[in-house]
Amino acid sequence: MSDPIAYERDGDVAVLTINNPPVNALSQAVRQGLMTRMDQAEGDAGVKAVVIVGEGRAFIAGADITEFGKPPMEPSLPDVIDRIEASPLIVVAAMHGVSLGGGLEVALGCHYRIAVPSARIGLPEVHLGLIPGAGGTQRLPRVAGVQAAIDMATTGRHVKADEAHKMGAIDVVQDGDPTELGIAYAQKLLDDGAARRPVSEMPAPEGIDWDATYDAVLARGRGQIAPAKAVRAVQASVEKPFAEGLLAERDIFIELMNTDQRKGMIHAFFSEHAVSNLPELKGVDPRAVDHIGVIGGGTMGAGIATAALLSGLQVTMLEMSSEAGEAARGRIGGNLAGALKRGKISQAQHDAIMDKALQVSTDYAALSDVDLVIEAVFEDMAVKKQVFTKLDDVCKQGAILASNTSYLDVNEIAACTKRPEDVIGLHFFSPAHVMKLLEVVVPDKTAIDVVATGFALGKRLNKISVRAGVCDGFIGNRILSTYRQAADQMVMQGASPYDIDAALEAFGFAMGPFAVADLAGLDIGWAVRKRKRAEGTMPDGATYADKMCEAGNFGQKTGKGYYDYAAGAKARVPNPDVMPLIEEDRAGTPQRTFTADDIVRYYMAAMVNESAKVVGEGIARRPLDVDMTLLFGYGFPRYRGGPLKWADIVGLDDLLGDIKSYAETNPEFWAPAPLLEQLVAEGKTFDSLNS
Ligand code: T1G
């Protein structure tokens, strides 16, 4: 590749411009280029200062993540940064876009830093299961203080230029062209006789209560270790001389580089990008979507409308009455008020949305000009078919008709229209303007440009879009149904709901399945069981879960479910009425003890087995599609990468062995997935199917 670092002179100032699209990652060529160009500047007569600037949309987005897991290539980033800092010339970083991870570390290796107002800095390594590995935890405390450094290194959050300036990480914030700003600032420093200012020579900041900080960060990480390790690295910047602090940081970095959590989080990072980049959509132009219709202004419909409005789309909300329409407008207004309060939108944007972009109507004719319509009406096939029949009559040619159904057969819905090629499923997760996951459900006759439009809409709404085939529950809810049944099996065999929740929260879930059920409402499952018993697809006889509901225990919404919420949702005191009901139902079932590890293995075996069936049947395109679904829609812990990444790490042959042993007592539920058996037989991993 051509030299990624351009070299130019402007009077006494040499300008090094990094050009490594798309985000100036610090590849080996960039690192080598910086070393070479620093030598060139120092050998160039008359040069008294150097400016380092990024071409394109970023200063530097960080180390080149594609190099992770491969043998390290010289020069290392710490060596490059030490080389920059040791230069006898004054070195200025001119920053715009993002300066993240190694990018910020390069900037901190410079003697001065100038940035445009829209620039952002950050140390996001914890999102990759790592900590900064090129001096970030040693230099940032020296310019910004310990608290700011710990906040940034443990959360990975992006910090805007003005805040970075206030904390001392950036010296000057000024609007303009980054290169010109850098040259002018360097020239001013020379004119003022400013000295070089190596950060490593600045005094170490005051210490804090490190153990208390470590414990608090560890507890917040819910099993993820990198953030807490970052605290220890910052501690080294205070308690050790700079050179020894660098070594301490490097030791922690290398320790984390070899962890399963790093493997899981890097997998999540790349999968997050790959999941919406489907090969079959390459070169397919999506249809233009500027105006959408939403039918049904309940929580889900209002959330969908909110997400669309926040992305700049015009929305026509259709409800069945003016009162319902106004209630929908109120829900959307409430959602937008939250966005306003969080600074996501300005008051002017809020008012423009509510006064212009959002229209509410009770007349289907109002949808005659929409480019795409999403129905979010009652989950009943007859109702859906009525809606789609009307849409077929009213909507213009080329309009896309989408259902937000969470499990109904979208092929059957498409078949009731004269335009099945324009029908698709867009399954949002509640609250739709907050949850990142969008399942793009593709019926048999859907046109490829309609699929492309679904993904384009998902990107515009800042969603993680996953392609799903048509089956009961698509990807996420189908797998959820299976592992929830596994949890219920364990309850019948002797594990308490409380042990199960505790074991899975220790595994990394934010909430265990029974706490989640209390949050969602136990009456939802009760209604489904009653419907299925009425249809004859479920055996008669009330279970303990039914008896809980018959007693009015619906979970948080009634103050009691599996837990008693009298002391508040955080307390989660077990409801004493539950175990006696469970013990009644257990009668006749052989009992066994479950350790926390047993619980995780049983629960995860069910999740992995069903996931393998979903991939094997083509409902999900690749294992990574299942991983991203569970990460972004079901609270699976990100540092484990997803259920199928976790399975690869723990070993598929052991998992298959577990499943076969469970199948001895329940052969139908635990029938091994053919794909899992095939991978074990071939000695392959789920990851081998992700390319
Ligand atoms: N390395 C390699 N490729 C990267 C990359 C990186 N650091 N960051 C982004 N890309 C690719 C990405 O895969 C995608 O590729 C394209 O750029 C556009 O990304 C030593 C060890 C920078 C805020 O963690 O947060 O430094 O899919 O779609 O939404 O201490 O990417 O198009 O082929 O996300 O505008 C620390 C991770 C590394 C930054 C841009 N840095 N990246 O967001 O575009 S570790 C990070 C991001 C480190 C040092 C440590 C975002 C972004 P493709 P995109 P975007």
Side-chain angles (χ1 to χ4, degrees):
M1 80 178 285
S2 63
D3 187 336
I5 315 281
Y7 182 92
E8 289 168 293
R9 276 287 296 271
D10 185 306
D12 303 347
V13 180
V15 181
L16 275 53
T17 304
I18 303 170
N19 184 15
N20 181 28
V23 291
N24 290 335
L26 289 158
S27 64
Q28 189 279 336
V30 170
R31 299 195 303 273
Q32 185 56 59
L34 285 169
M35 296 290 256
T36 306
R37 296 303 193 184
M38 285 304 297
D39 293 343
Q40 181 177 355
E42 288 167 5
D44 191 347
V47 169
K48 300 191 180 73
V50 174
V51 171
I52 298 177
V53 66
E55 184 68 54
R57 58 177 169 159
F59 174 66
I60 300 171
D64 185 342
I65 302 176
T66 63
E67 292 181 3
F68 285 6
K70 296 173 186 168
M73 295 180 282
E74 295 299 322
S76 75
L77 187 56
D79 289 350
V80 172
I81 293 168
D82 289 349
R83 172 74 186 76
I84 291 168
E85 185 179 68
S87 175
L89 305 176
I90 286 185
V91 186
V92 169
M95 303 150 82
H96 75 292
V98 291
S99 305
L100 300 174
L104 177 56
E105 290 170 310
V106 166
L108 291 169
C110 297
H111 304 135
Y112 294 90
R113 286 155 292 281
I114 186 168
V116 297
S118 57
R120 290 176 288 145
I121 66 169
L123 292 174
E125 289 85 341
V126 287
H127 296 322
L128 301 172
L130 298 168
I131 66 163
T137 63
Q138 308 304 303
R139 289 190 172 90
L140 187 59
R142 283 174 162 79
V143 295
V146 164
Q147 291 300 357
I150 284 178
D151 169 42
M152 287 179 63
T154 59
T155 64
R157 75 181 180 94
H158 293 188
V159 170
K160 291 180 181 170
D162 59 349
E163 183 185 354
H165 178 236
K166 288 191 186 84
M167 71 170 62
I170 289 175
D171 300 295
V172 177
V173 177
Q174 191 177 337
D175 213 348
D177 171 76
T179 303
E180 290 169 10
L181 289 173
I183 293 169
Y185 184 37
Q187 195 55 60
K188 182 176 185 311
L189 289 165
L190 292 173
D191 297 346
D192 294 351
R196 293 171 55 256
R197 198 184 55 171
V199 174
S200 61
E201 293 172 13
M202 292 179 183
E206 288 302 309
I208 57 173
D209 184 341
W210 297 107
D211 292 343
T213 304
Y214 177 88
D215 293 343
V217 170
L218 188 62
R220 198 175 65 207
R222 273 208 308 273
Q224 197 200 343
I225 56 175
K229 290 285 187 179
V231 173
R232 294 305 187 203
V234 173
Q235 179 178 357
S237 78
V238 170
E239 297 179 348
K240 296 174 182 293
F242 184 80
E244 288 176 38
L246 271 186
L247 293 175
E249 176 192 76
R250 198 80 193 147
D251 290 347
I252 295 171
F253 176 81
I254 290 168
E255 175 197 345
L256 291 173
M257 187 58 96
N258 294 318
T259 60
D260 289 343
Q261 291 194 8
R262 191 272 301 165
K263 292 175 191 162
M265 297 189 87
I266 294 284
H267 169 75
F269 175 82
F270 282 113
S271 300
E272 195 175 324
H273 287 91
V275 70
S276 305
N277 291 332
L278 292 176
E280 69 246 37
L281 298 183
K282 284 271 183 285
V284 177
D285 292 332
R287 294 181 191 175
V289 174
D290 297 307
H291 180 192
I292 73 166
V294 177
I295 305 180
T299 303
M300 185 55 85
I304 296 168
T306 304
L309 290 162
L310 286 171
S311 75
L313 287 169
Q314 186 184 338
V315 175
T316 296
M317 165 65 72
L318 187 72
E319 257 293 359
M320 295 302 107
S321 69
S322 52
E323 295 76 15
E326 283 317 299
R329 177 185 289 276
R331 287 186 197 95
I332 294 166
N335 294 340
L336 290 175
L340 180 64
K341 190 176 168 196
R342 288 191 303 278
K344 297 280 186 201
I345 53 172
S346 66
Q347 186 64 53
Q349 288 170 313
H350 169 277
D351 299 345
I353 288 173
M354 292 304 288
D355 300 344
K356 295 193 187 73
L358 171 63
Q359 299 297 322
V360 178
S361 175
T362 59
D363 181 354
Y364 268 86
L367 300 177
S368 61
D369 190 36
V370 299
D371 305 310
L372 178 147
V373 61
I374 305 171
E375 63 77 17
V377 300
F378 185 60
E379 283 286 71
D380 175 276
M381 184 57 87
V383 174
K384 303 270 188 202
K385 286 182 174 178
Q386 280 174 356
V387 167
F388 274 77
T389 303
K390 284 183 185 167
L391 291 175
D392 207 7
D393 294 340
V394 163
C395 292
K396 67 185 180 188
Q397 278 309 93
I400 292 171
L401 313 182
S403 170
N404 173 60
T405 182
S406 60
Y407 70 96
L408 292 173
D409 184 338
V410 192
N411 276 312
E412 190 177 340
I413 292 172
C416 81
T417 71
K418 296 186 285 297
R419 54 173 111 179
E421 67 281 359
D422 292 340
V423 175
I424 196 165
L426 293 177
H427 177 215
F428 290 83
F429 287 73
S430 189
H433 60 296
V434 174
M435 290 296 284
K436 293 282 284 183
L437 182 63
L438 171 65
E439 283 182 320
V440 179
V441 183
V442 184
D444 301 337
K445 294 183 178 171
T446 301
I448 190 68
D449 67 327
V450 173
V451 180
T453 309
F455 276 87
L457 180 65
K459 188 171 179 70
R460 179 157 185 180
L461 271 52
N462 194 25
K463 299 295 180 188
I464 299 291
S465 304
V466 183
R467 186 196 186 286
V470 176
C471 71
D472 187 341
F474 313 134
I475 299 174
N477 282 345
R478 170 171 163 181
I479 296 166
L480 165 67
S481 169
T482 299
Y483 64 79
R484 277 298 277 111
Q485 289 176 63
D488 292 336
Q489 287 175 14
M490 286 193 276
V491 168
M492 288 298 103
Q493 294 171 33
S496 80
Y498 315 106
D499 295 341
I500 292 171
D501 278 356
L504 292 167
E505 285 160 15
F507 177 78
F509 284 93
M511 293 172 81
F514 298 96
V516 169
D518 269 2
L519 179 65
L522 303 179
D523 48 328
I524 295 171
W526 188 32
V528 170
R529 293 194 297 274
K530 287 193 283 188
R531 171 171 62 81
K532 289 189 170 180
R533 286 189 186 115
E535 290 166 354
T537 56
M538 189 168 191
D540 284 337
T543 64
Y544 80 87
D546 299 316
K547 292 169 189 165
M548 285 171 66
C549 290
E550 285 159 11
N553 294 326
F554 294 169
Q556 287 197 25
K557 65 171 84 169
T558 60
K560 268 190 181 181
Y562 286 97
Y563 298 93
D564 182 337
Y565 297 92
K570 291 285 181 203
R572 277 190 19 190
V573 174
N575 174 356
D577 303 336
V578 173
M579 288 313 296
L581 295 174
I582 288 174
E583 275 141 22
E584 274 176 31
D585 279 10
R586 280 174 175 168
T589 303
Q591 297 296 290
R592 56 166 283 201
T593 55
F594 283 86
T595 64
D597 188 51
D598 292 336
I599 290 169
V600 169
R601 296 285 301 191
Y602 197 92
Y603 193 79
M604 286 305 300
M607 191 185 296
V608 169
N609 201 36
E610 193 63 32
S611 299
K613 291 174 184 172
V614 162
V615 175
E617 294 165 24
I619 298 295
R621 272 275 188 275
R622 301 151 294 187
L624 71 88
D625 295 56
V626 170
D627 286 340
M628 291 307 100
T629 299
L630 273 291
L631 243 58
F632 287 100
Y634 296 82
F636 193 88
R638 185 180 177 92
Y639 62 80
R640 298 193 185 271
L644 297 182
K645 185 62 182 177
W646 174 85
D648 282 347
I649 290 172
V650 300
L652 300 190
D653 46 358
D654 287 349
L655 265 176
L656 182 56
D658 288 352
I659 289 166
K660 288 182 172 175
S661 70
Y662 305 148
E664 286 163 15
T665 51
N666 190 337
E668 187 182 346
F669 180 86
W670 285 105
L675 176 61
L676 178 59
E677 293 188 297
Q678 176 193 332
L679 290 172
V680 169
E682 295 170 358
K684 289 183 179 173
T685 60
F686 283 110
D687 212 28
S688 67
L689 304 175
N690 279 330
S691 50

